[in-house]
Amino acid sequence: MNFAIVGCGFIARKHAKAIEKIGEANLVSVCDKDSTAMKYYVDEYKIKGYTRLEEMLGSEEIDVVCICTPSGLHASIAVQLAEAKKHIIVEKPIAMNLEDTERIIDACKLNDVKLAVVHPNRFRPVVQELRKFLDQGLLGKISHVNAKVNWNRNQEYYDQAPWRGTKEYDGGVLMNQAIHNLDLLLWFVGKPEQVFSMEATRLRNIEAEDVSIGVIGFESGVLGTVEASTTVYPKNFEESITIFGEKGTVKIGGANALYFEHLLVEGKSEEEIKEIKKSINKDPWGIPGHQWIIEDMVNAIKEDRIPSVTGEDGKEALKLVLGFYESADKNKPIQLTKENKYVNN
């Protein structure tokens, strides 16, 4: 299947490398309004580069397009691609607001094209193992969960491009970094019902937040906390998910949430736990998440099924971020209704 990439920034390299590793995927072209940004891809993969999306779509036989542009541009590009009958893989967040998200999802449904959102952390070996514990009910009733992303993104990172750290095109630590961990919380324990959040811009000269602290009440009764920042000195400090259950306590952590830092589960012997940890530690990254998502799209097209990480999944993670933003802005809890709208509590 022929792939193209729109937007030739840093994240596009992960897509290109992943496509290269998949036997049934072939990168045929890239598109970016800045021709210099395309030079690496044109030279490295011996493909064509286009400064206009319309020209690329008219000149190449393309099955799937990966959208790697600034987040604020996702919706307009995705709708154009859907109308051109191209399947879509879009980087997180799916969009910057729910209206644009609905436009993307509706356009893909109307034109019968498949849509996948890049939430690659789901495919890390340690995350997959934790999901197995939950699917098998080994942790029992869950009481509470927490997610932490305390990383470093210095001012130089934000100064790389004028859109970084803006509310219109990029967002802050919740939208850009912690959204992956919010996706995992939703994947592990279900839909949220209520949120309360405080945020600040403490150290970075950006429009959006560089620190956020939030609380979640899930429909299941589970409570959760989220702590996220890009202000940590001098490098990434931790990324973790902890789940507290009546029959087990599990923490996946490290600088990038790759290992079991704590693993106690009723019925699991010390030897079993040791072997599980040993297996994870052998290859903590596993197959790169982007490769999983791209190969899953190939298989979804072949098998005519929905991708593993859907547009609706991307929408739910975005809704949670927007709920935190609204709560911080209004300094009050926000109730998330079943109609997927936010209402004041």
Side-chain angles (χ1 to χ4, degrees):
M1 294 182 191
N2 289 338
F3 280 71
I5 296 173
V6 179
C8 292
F10 167 77
I11 201 65
R13 296 201 179 199
K14 291 192 175 185
H15 287 256
K17 288 179 180 178
I19 292 167
E20 187 179 32
K21 291 180 180 179
I22 299 168
E24 293 179 281
N26 181 40
L27 183 62
V28 297
S29 58
V30 291
C31 180
D32 197 298
K33 64 181 181 180
D34 180 1
S35 59
T36 60
M38 294 187 289
K39 188 176 186 311
Y40 165 80
Y41 302 92
V42 172
D43 293 346
E44 179 71 15
Y45 297 98
K46 308 298 187 252
I47 57 176
K48 292 182 180 179
Y50 298 86
T51 55
R52 294 180 63 250
L53 181 56
E54 296 82 359
E55 184 182 358
M56 182 179 76
L57 294 176
S59 303
E60 302 281 355
E61 290 294 326
I62 298 168
D63 300 297
V64 186
V65 180
C66 300
I67 301 176
C68 301
T69 63
S71 304
L73 301 175
H74 287 178
S76 59
I77 294 170
V79 170
Q80 187 175 352
L81 292 173
E83 291 174 348
K85 310 298 183 183
K86 308 303 178 187
H87 302 292
I88 298 166
I89 296 174
V90 60
E91 268 293 334
K92 59 74 191 169
I94 184 172
M96 296 300 292
N97 57 65
L98 293 180
E99 291 77 16
D100 280 347
T101 300
E102 294 290 358
R103 284 177 57 211
I104 295 172
I105 293 173
D106 289 347
C108 289
K109 288 180 179 177
L110 180 65
N111 291 281
D112 194 26
V113 299
K114 300 188 186 302
L115 172 64
V117 182
V118 179
H119 282 295
N121 293 20
R122 291 191 185 194
F123 302 99
R124 291 175 178 174
V126 71
V127 172
Q128 289 281 311
E129 193 67 30
L130 176 51
R131 179 61 194 248
K132 289 178 187 176
F133 292 158
L134 292 168
D135 287 344
Q136 295 168 14
L138 297 182
L139 304 186
K141 187 176 182 180
I142 307 303
S143 64
H144 63 294
V145 297
N146 64 54
K148 294 183 180 181
V149 185
N150 286 305
W151 280 356
N152 173 276
R153 294 293 183 268
N154 58 25
Q155 192 61 44
E156 193 176 288
Y157 165 86
Y158 291 106
D159 291 343
Q160 290 176 39
W163 53 267
R164 285 190 183 273
T166 63
K167 291 184 178 180
E168 183 176 2
Y169 292 106
D170 191 37
V173 63
L174 275 181
M175 190 74 84
N176 232 342
Q177 284 80 31
I179 193 169
H180 288 305
N181 308 83
L182 298 182
D183 172 67
L184 290 184
L185 289 184
L186 296 174
W187 196 46
F188 288 152
V189 296
K191 288 191 175 185
E193 189 172 60
Q194 187 181 59
V195 296
F196 180 70
S197 178
M198 299 181 73
E199 65 184 48
T201 309
R202 294 289 297 163
L203 302 182
R204 307 298 176 233
N205 183 25
I206 59 174
E207 186 180 16
E209 81 288 351
D210 60 14
V211 179
S212 178
I213 306 291
V215 180
I216 309 170
F218 291 89
E219 288 182 357
S220 62
V222 173
L223 299 180
T225 61
V226 176
E227 177 184 336
S229 68
T230 54
T231 58
V232 176
Y233 176 85
K235 60 183 180 180
N236 289 359
F237 176 68
E238 70 172 331
E239 177 188 3
S240 68
I241 297 277
T242 309
I243 298 183
F244 299 91
E246 62 178 333
K247 297 181 180 179
T249 303
V250 182
K251 179 180 181 181
I252 56 176
N256 295 99
L258 294 174
Y259 308 96
F260 281 117
E261 284 195 348
H262 188 90
L263 180 58
L264 284 176
V265 179
E266 184 179 288
K268 292 284 184 184
S269 68
E270 287 187 19
E271 189 61 33
E272 284 180 289
I273 288 173
K274 183 179 178 181
E275 284 302 312
I276 291 170
K277 288 182 175 180
K278 183 179 177 181
S279 174
I280 298 298
N281 294 349
K282 279 183 181 178
D283 186 16
W285 287 102
I287 296 173
H290 284 78
Q291 186 176 333
W292 271 107
I293 287 168
I294 290 169
E295 189 161 15
D296 178 71
M297 175 61 84
V298 171
N299 291 328
I301 294 169
K302 286 168 56 181
E303 299 162 12
D304 193 23
R305 60 167 173 81
I306 63 172
S308 294
V309 186
T310 66
E312 291 293 337
D313 291 329
K315 176 183 171 182
E316 291 303 315
L318 174 66
K319 280 173 53 185
L320 189 48
V321 172
L322 295 177
F324 279 139
Y325 282 168
E326 184 175 351
S327 174
D329 182 58
K330 294 180 177 179
N331 192 30
K332 63 195 304 182
I334 298 297
Q335 189 75 24
L336 313 183
T337 72
K338 295 187 185 299
E339 288 75 29
N340 297 332
K341 301 289 184 182
Y342 293 112
V343 295
N344 293 342
N345 190 37

